[in-house]
Amino acid sequence: MTSFALHIPDADLDPEPLDPSQIVSGTPEVTGKVLSESPDGRQLRGIWQITPGVVTDVEADEMFVVLSGRATVEIEDGPTLHVGPGDCAVLREGDRTTWTVHETLRKAYAITLPENP
């Protein structure tokens, strides 16, 4: 892969269907694109978007920056994060989250996946 620049707000994203068991309410749809991946597949950099609704997830080690939209991310046994444009957030591997997406949210992310045992 070569170095590149991309205007994230205009980037075309691919459908990433949610597992129906993750949807708490609404009809949220997820799209995304992995922009780069380390040779071992553990380091991912990309763009992710979700439309309004409420979903649950178990997180990887992630840092993201919100480009557009707004959401409330409740972390089980942890803080509640209110994120919008320009906000940076860090999630820990294993965090159990509930995302309430108020406005379609687009973020740029860097994720580290756990090593396979």
Side-chain angles (χ1 to χ4, degrees):
M1 170 177 277
T2 62
S3 299
F4 65 92
L6 174 70
H7 188 67
I8 294 172
D10 297 332
D12 289 327
L13 306 180
D14 301 319
E16 295 181 0
L18 287 164
D19 180 327
S21 68
Q22 291 181 270
I23 300 172
V24 176
S25 68
T27 54
E29 294 181 6
V30 172
T31 53
K33 182 174 290 288
V34 174
L35 300 175
S36 69
E37 182 175 337
S38 64
D40 66 1
R42 293 188 55 236
Q43 307 288 324
L44 304 174
R45 311 294 185 257
I47 305 166
W48 185 84
Q49 180 171 289
I50 185 169
T51 62
V54 181
V55 299
T56 60
D57 201 5
V58 177
E59 304 297 336
D61 179 25
E62 176 181 5
M63 183 182 88
F64 66 86
V65 176
V66 177
L67 300 156
S68 60
R70 297 194 177 282
T72 302
V73 183
E74 297 175 61
I75 301 172
E76 186 178 290
D77 300 324
T80 296
L81 312 177
H82 302 277
V83 297
D87 290 335
C88 177
V90 174
L91 300 172
R92 297 172 309 163
E93 179 184 333
D95 279 347
R96 295 183 176 279
T97 57
T98 300
W99 290 69
T100 301
V101 180
H102 310 291
E103 300 168 13
T104 297
L105 184 133
R106 185 175 281 216
K107 68 180 184 177
Y109 66 82
I111 292 177
T112 302
L113 298 174
E115 290 186 53
N116 290 330

